Structure formats: structure tokens, C-alpha cells
Amino acid sequence: MAAGDALLLEIRDLGVSFTTDDGMVRAVDGISLVARRGCTLGIVGESGSGKSVATKAVMRLLPANARLDEGSRILLHREEGEIDIAALPARSRELRRLRGGDIGMIFQEPMASFSPVYTVGNQMIEAILEHRDHLERRLGERFDRRSAREHAIRMLERVGMSNPRLRIDQYPHELSGGMRQRAMIAVALSTHPSLLIADEPTTALDVTIQAQILDLMLELQQELGMAMLFITHDMGVIARIAEEMAVMYLGRIVERGPTREIIREPAHPYTRGLLAALPRLDTARRRLTPVPGDIPSPLQRPAGCPFHTRCPRHMPGLCDRILPQDTDLGSGRSVACHLFGEAAS
Amino acid sequence: MLRFLVQRAIGMVVTMFFVSIMVFVIMELPPGDYADRYAFRKFSGTGVSVTETDIEGIRKQFGLDRPAWERYLTWIGGIVTRFDFGPSFAFETSANAVIGQRAGLTVVLLVGTLLLTYLLSIPIGIYAALRRQSLADYGLTVVSYLGLAIPNFMLALILLYVSVRYFGSTIGGLFSPEFEQAPWSWAKFVDLLKHLFVPAVVLAWSATALQLQTVRATMSDELNKLYVDAARARGLPEWKVIIKYPARLAINPVVSTVGFDANRIFSELPIVALVMSLPELGELLIKSFLDLDMYVAGAILLMLTAIIVFMNFVSDVVLALLDPRIKLEGG
């Protein structure tokens, strides 16, 4: 395991816009994030907050109508040196080496992320063979078709699949939802990536299975010493898995810092709203307090602070005019809200 | 897999049994029978007066006096045991001899047209889906809809005119004059292919237009599926992602409609054949019905349906091979 504080992924001023029939949609509006080796960074936000788009940008999986800002930087610090993913040509060999090699990714819907017409093993071995060189550097073993299959079986076993020798030749529809997500994790981890991007990996699963998968991911993270970028809309999941978190709203990061601190004492009104909307067993009789209103359409971004349209502490004349900048709260925390900025004091 | 094959094969035989009964009923449907027609042909204008007894005699001679079920059994028995489709009254020979060469030509034209359709529509459909809303996509769509919009006989006439006027070749009929009587040789075979190419293009055009849109639509759907991004996220090269994942599923609807396409081509074949003076089955079918030459008509109907039933069987099997989600048991 590398040093705990070593930088792995550095996102700087990432902006993503989509050209649509209705006009330009600004999905991610200049965010900066840092993921460290062996640590998990959680990104929370509602649908439409841009969290998925931001992580897809890291893998360069955005559709053709998406455009990265000129100054966007996605720096991956590898042992061989750093590389700017944002600057790689779309079909370059370097990019393909990163995808599935240095960076693994798992998706929200385990059923849809496997092709129905190939066996689990087929889709797994394909990835292992594609990253032969990378795995040789990592494990000191060069795989051929047969040893790749053995490696795949070992990985399926490692993620807790019963009877992996049978499972490897089964089709995705023959596995249960939880098993499929385990298989997906096995595929992503079979190439020993240094960064795992998990896009709502537990959202589509039952709560009990969800807990199992989270435990498994934590365990594997420790074992492989990889960093995780964990996207979810579920504060409970974040609290469980991420050391650090960032809260996104309408393409911007409104609050960030150590998870424990933020959950204990949320600063941004939006973060407070998210936490208050969580069902809690000890207050089961009380009604939940949801964040009022809906997330605005990214086609009509509000002026000023993007959250002011729903904010309970909205200050007219300030919040709807001036975009709040990040304010350092100490101990690694920062918030983008006028309540904490110089304007408020 | 074996059980699946046997089940489908049995289903095919059962279907064919019912089809044969239906074909026989159709054969019986036109008013009158060949005895009347024969008497009319032979003796009209000769001054000989034909009595009811004479016609009865002719009827007996052709075996048309026996009850329908008996004639059905003789007919189907001959087909199953000796592959004998019965006599052809009008040509005064067997139905087999009349149909013989035409059947071969029809099958060659059908298979050729199907191949041409799929060779064109699958890659073009995939390409159009990848370049959605580009100039190439729109261009291909326009060209394919032209094929759908222009009636086949019109297209055949245009191609006939163009090839005669500008290329000086005769594409009507099966062979160029110099090969008409020549023994089979490579040159004659090539000449045959040349003559079959134009009707195949005419027939394939509209079928291609339909299938192209099907492939394009399915492919566009599949391209947006998560597993495509998942494959990219595993680091596969783009061409491998496209061919192995979405393209593989985009051909499923094409495979499942092979029987439908065959049927379409059969229905359009007679008109094209008429324009290009090709001796194929559809034209003979119409003629034999007009002549009340029932056994020839029955043989053609039976063969066409048999081919379509068989095509459906093939498409079922291929689909089961392509898509593991199709259960091989039951159904």
C-alpha cells in the first residue's frame, strides 16, 4: 500500500457542457476534486447534480455532444508519471490503457452493465487479456487465455461468488442482482486498478445486499490499496464508506471535507437539507423534512448561488446575484455559501 | 439443442401437413375443372359437338371423377413417396418437368436477393446508426426510401433501359443470345449471374430499405445501453466494442424476419420476372390457375410455402444460437 496521503487523481476546473436541441446545458460547472491513494472520496447529490457526468468525464465516457472546458484538467498520478486524461485523444491507446487498467468502473445497474449474449467469463477474460501488460507490471504474471480464465475464477471467488467455476460460464440473466454486482466488481478489479469509480453501485440493490456489497468493497479496497470515487445520492451509504466527501448541486461542489465532520455538523443549507431528509429510526414517528422544491433545469441555471431558489436561509439581493466562492472552514473543510463568506461577516 | 431442433422440425412437418390440405382446397376452389377446359380447347371451332358423356370420359381419363379426399391422398402420397407432384394437364407432361428449371431459378433468385439484402442492410444500418443525423445517414435513408417508394416494375424497367441504352447489354431473360444454347461453362455461369444481378437488385432494394431502418433503429437503441459504456470502461478498442456488443444484438430482428422477407420477395417476384422476362414460378402459378392446371399450381404453392416454413425454421434456430436468453426447452 502506498503512502496514505499520496495524490492519485486530481480534477481541476472541470467543466462539461452538452449541446442539445434545447440549447447548451452546463452539467458540470468548474469543479475541483482530489482523490488520494487508498482512500474513498464520496460524491453526493441529487439526480441532475452532475455527479455522474463528472465521473464519466474521468473515464472519457461522455457522449459525442458533450464538451470539456478548455482549461479542464484530470490528472492521474501514476508511478510512471502523471497524465492528463482530459487532454488524451478520444481513441488513443493511452486512454484505453487507463480504462479498465489503471481505472476501473462499476455502474448503477448490474443487469444492464453486462451484455446479455455473452457469458460473465467471456466479458471478464476479455478485459484481463486487453490489459495483459498492465497486469504483468502489477502481478508479475503474463496471462494467456487459460491463465486469464483461472485469474477470473479466482476473482469471482474473491468477491464471494459461490461456485465460481460454474458461474464463469453462466450468462448474466442466470445470476441474481447481487451476484451480478459482485461479478461486475470482479470484472473491474480483475485488472487491479489503482482507482475504482463506483457510480451508484448499490442503488439498484436490496438493502441487505447493499450492505454486503459495501462491506465487500471496503474489504477489497483495503486489500488492494486502491482509491475509490464513490457516487451516490444516499448520505447513509456515504457515511459508511467514504473518508472524505463532496456535495454537488447543479454542477457545482457546495461543500466538501471529511465525511464525519460534515455529517456531524453540516455547514451548507443544502447538506443540512439532505441530512434532514434521511429517515431515522429513533424519530420514526416524525415526518421527514425533505429539501423543498425541485432541482432547477440546468437549461435555466439560477443566477448567483445555484441553490438560492430552494434555500431556507436565502438572503435576497445577495444569494440571487453573486455566486459564492469556496470558504475555508479549517480541518480540510470548505463550503460555498454566503452565510460563511466574507459577505456575511 | 437437439431436442429443440427435433421439436421445431416436428412443428414444421405438422405445419406442412395443414398447409398441404389448404393448398388442395385452393386447388379445388376455381369453378369447373380441367375436363371442361380440355374439351373446350380441343374441340372448339372444329365443329365437333361435345356431349356431357364425352366430358365425363375425359374426366375419368384424368382421374378427376374420384372424390376429393381420394385425390388428395393420391396427390400427397405421390409427393411424399416419389416426390411426384402429379401431372400437368396443360403441358401434357408431369408437373415436375414443368416446374423443374423454374424452381431452381426461383430459389437461386430468392437466396441471392436475401443475401444481397443482408449484405447491404446490416453494415449500412450499423454505419447509419453510428453516424446518426449526419449527411451520410440522411443520404442513405433517402436512397433506401426511394427503393421502397418506387414500384418494382418501374425500377426494373429503368434498370433495363439504363443497362441496354448505356451498357449495351441485354439483361432480359436468363442468358445472352450466344449462351442460350451453349453447354454449361464458366462463361455461361457468369453470364447467368449477370442476368440475375439486376432482378436481385430490384427485389433487394425495398427489402433492404426496410431492414436497414430496422438495423439502424435497433443499433441506435443498443448503442445507448449501459453495457456499451461498460465495455468501453474495460478498455476495449472502439471497433471491438461496436462489433462485439451492440452490433451483435442489432442483427437479431433481421434474423427473426427471414421468413417474412422471403414471403415479400416471392410476392414481388412475378411482376419483376414479367418485366425482365425471367422464367420463374410466380408467373407460371398465375398461368396455371388460369388454365385450371391444378397440379402445377398446387406444386408451386406447396413449394413456396415449404420454403417459407423452412426459412422460419432456420431463423428460429439461428436466433436461438445468437441469443442465449431464448430458452431451448419448451415453447
Side-chain angles (χ1 to χ4, degrees):
Chain A
M1 200 172 176
D5 267 327
L7 273 183
L8 181 64
L9 181 75
E10 215 180 333
I11 300 174
R12 272 193 230 149
D13 304 319
L14 175 68
V16 183
S17 308
F18 290 89
T19 328
T20 68
D21 293 342
D22 304 320
M24 197 74 139
V25 173
R26 184 94 176 130
V28 175
D29 190 28
I31 65 167
S32 298
L33 281 172
V34 163
R36 290 169 223 286
R37 286 182 192 277
C39 292
T40 302
L41 171 66
I43 303 180
V44 207
E46 289 168 278
S47 343
S49 62
K51 56 192 193 306
S52 276
V53 173
T55 44
K56 275 194 174 158
V58 174
M59 283 295 247
R60 295 286 300 277
L61 286 175
L62 295 171
N65 63 341
R67 215 175 44 79
L68 294 186
D69 281 5
E70 208 60 45
S72 299
R73 295 274 176 279
I74 304 169
L75 300 171
L76 186 73
H77 299 273
R78 298 181 301 178
E79 272 136 39
E80 308 95 271
E82 73 169 45
I83 186 166
D84 183 4
I85 300 174
L88 290 176
R91 298 206 168 186
S92 62
R93 181 179 289 265
E94 287 78 12
L95 184 58
R96 276 197 277 118
R97 272 197 208 140
L98 291 180
R99 289 175 172 171
D102 291 290
I103 311 176
M105 187 159 184
I106 53 182
F107 298 88
Q108 179 170 356
E109 285 169 60
M111 181 70 212
S113 38
F114 280 111
S115 164
V117 296
Y118 298 101
T119 60
V120 172
N122 178 317
Q123 299 177 60
M124 225 174 146
I125 292 164
E126 155 194 278
I128 296 171
L129 291 176
E130 198 67 49
H131 297 287
R132 251 185 267 214
D133 298 337
H134 169 86
L135 275 165
E136 194 176 6
R137 278 198 303 277
R138 276 294 174 102
L139 304 175
E141 185 185 352
R142 189 163 185 84
F143 290 113
D144 55 21
R145 203 150 264 288
R146 174 177 292 183
S147 56
R149 188 181 156 84
E150 287 307 313
H151 181 61
I153 291 172
R154 277 199 303 277
M155 283 312 296
L156 288 177
E157 197 167 9
R158 182 62 200 85
V159 298
M161 297 269 267
S162 56
N163 209 347
R165 268 176 207 285
L166 172 80
R167 299 273 182 226
I168 194 167
D169 292 320
Q170 283 187 319
Y171 288 95
H173 68 272
E174 296 174 287
L175 305 178
S176 69
M179 279 298 158
R180 263 180 234 135
Q181 198 57 296
R182 281 174 198 270
M184 202 63 222
I185 293 173
V187 174
L189 297 189
S190 60
T191 50
H192 289 244
S194 43
L195 173 67
L196 179 69
I197 299 177
D199 188 354
E200 307 226 17
T202 56
T203 307
L205 302 174
D206 289 345
V207 184
T208 45
I209 310 282
Q210 208 173 47
Q212 287 174 17
I213 296 285
L214 285 180
D215 284 345
L216 174 69
M217 290 181 72
L218 279 172
E219 216 179 292
L220 287 166
Q221 182 189 22
Q222 299 264 303
E223 196 178 305
L224 302 171
M226 60 184 180
M228 269 205 281
L229 207 55
F230 198 103
I231 299 138
T232 179
H233 60 264
D234 188 336
M235 275 287 194
V237 170
I238 282 285
R240 185 161 181 158
I241 201 160
E243 285 97 347
E244 288 190 60
M245 67 184 279
V247 183
M248 276 187 81
Y249 188 82
L250 219 59
R252 297 189 69 88
I253 293 177
V254 295
E255 182 165 8
R256 80 178 85 208
T259 310
R260 210 176 301 173
E261 315 268 325
I262 291 183
I263 287 181
R264 201 175 56 207
E265 198 187 343
H268 198 281
Y270 179 59
T271 319
R272 290 185 197 191
L274 282 181
L275 283 165
L278 267 187
R280 286 174 55 159
L281 290 177
D282 52 344
T283 56
R285 283 197 205 133
R286 296 234 312 268
R287 277 174 63 94
L288 296 176
T289 38
V291 182
D294 282 324
I295 195 161
S297 157
L299 280 166
Q300 294 147 359
R301 297 178 63 85
C305 172
F307 188 59
H308 84 261
T309 54
R310 298 165 75 188
C311 185
R313 303 181 64 183
H314 159 216
M315 295 175 279
L318 179 61
C319 295
D320 50 9
R321 290 228 188 120
I322 301 163
L323 183 68
Q325 297 303 310
D326 278 354
T327 309
D328 197 345
L329 298 179
S331 64
R333 289 186 63 177
S334 74
V335 63
C337 175
H338 289 306
L339 289 169
F340 301 88
E342 282 139 37
S345 52
Chain B
M1 189 69 206
L2 190 70
R3 208 178 128 190
F4 173 78
L5 280 179
V6 170
Q7 264 176 356
R8 288 295 149 115
I10 291 172
M12 200 160 66
V13 171
V14 173
T15 312
M16 280 318 293
F17 169 70
F18 286 110
V19 164
S20 75
I21 292 178
M22 257 157 71
V23 165
F24 193 77
V25 170
I26 294 172
M27 286 160 65
E28 295 283 304
L29 278 182
D33 57 24
Y34 194 72
D36 298 319
R37 179 58 56 101
Y38 182 81
F40 176 75
R41 273 225 177 137
K42 266 262 153 55
F43 304 112
S44 73
T46 56
V48 181
S49 65
V50 182
T51 61
E52 202 50 43
T53 346
D54 291 335
I55 294 180
E56 211 51 60
I58 299 165
R59 196 162 279 147
K60 196 159 241 159
Q61 181 195 330
F62 287 144
L64 293 174
D65 57 329
R66 286 176 298 149
W69 64 268
E70 208 181 307
R71 274 180 292 131
Y72 172 75
L73 285 184
T74 326
W75 179 63
I76 201 76
I79 295 170
V80 173
T81 54
R82 282 168 284 130
F83 205 66
D84 173 8
F85 287 88
S88 163
F89 304 131
F91 296 92
E92 301 188 351
T93 168
S94 69
N96 293 36
V98 175
I99 292 167
Q101 203 199 352
R102 285 170 181 249
L105 173 71
T106 306
V107 170
V108 167
L109 209 50
L110 173 76
V111 172
T113 305
L114 282 176
L115 283 180
L116 195 61
T117 302
Y118 298 142
L119 283 179
L120 288 173
S121 61
I122 293 172
I124 295 178
I126 290 172
Y127 177 81
L130 290 175
R131 297 267 176 283
R132 227 171 323 162
Q133 284 158 19
S134 69
L135 207 62
D137 180 25
Y138 289 133
L140 289 166
T141 306
V142 168
V143 171
S144 71
Y145 274 117
L146 272 183
L148 208 56
I150 302 174
N152 270 327
F153 66 88
M154 184 81 163
L155 205 57
L157 280 174
I158 294 171
L159 286 181
L160 206 59
Y161 176 80
V162 168
S163 67
V164 172
R165 180 82 172 70
Y166 296 100
F167 300 104
S169 66
T170 56
I171 52 165
L174 273 186
F175 300 105
S176 307
E178 63 267 33
F179 288 111
E180 202 82 62
Q181 303 299 327
W184 276 104
S185 65
W186 180 246
K188 182 169 177 174
F189 179 68
V190 171
D191 186 59
L192 176 67
L193 283 188
K194 268 190 205 158
H195 281 82
L196 288 181
F197 184 69
V198 174
V201 167
V202 173
L203 289 167
W205 202 328
S206 61
T208 303
L210 284 179
Q211 290 293 16
L212 193 154
Q213 293 306 321
T214 313
V215 173
R216 182 184 176 276
T218 325
M219 185 71 185
S220 305
D221 270 4
E222 294 296 328
L223 275 174
N224 289 327
K225 294 260 173 86
L226 188 55
Y227 68 78
V228 181
D229 266 350
R232 285 196 188 110
R234 288 200 288 275
L236 300 192
E238 189 64 16
W239 63 268
K240 204 169 171 186
V241 170
I242 297 298
I243 291 175
K244 183 171 174 184
Y245 292 98
R248 163 77 186 268
L249 279 149
I251 60 174
N252 278 8
V254 175
V255 171
S256 63
T257 52
V258 171
F260 174 80
D261 280 336
N263 192 10
R264 246 180 89 82
I265 291 168
F266 270 145
S267 332
E268 290 172 359
L269 193 50
I271 296 168
V272 175
L274 198 69
V275 174
M276 315 208 82
S277 58
L278 292 172
E280 58 81 52
L281 287 178
E283 184 211 354
L284 184 64
L285 177 65
I286 296 166
K287 228 175 100 200
S288 58
F289 264 117
L290 290 175
D291 286 345
L292 293 174
D293 200 355
M294 293 340 300
Y295 288 115
V296 173
I300 295 173
L301 281 179
L302 210 55
M303 273 167 72
L304 297 192
T305 42
I307 289 174
I308 290 170
V309 168
F310 181 70
M311 289 285 185
N312 277 325
F313 170 73
V314 169
S315 96
D316 276 358
V317 172
V318 173
L319 209 56
L321 288 176
L322 276 180
D323 196 335
R325 284 169 300 179
I326 293 170
K327 280 209 181 113
L328 295 182
E329 288 83 38

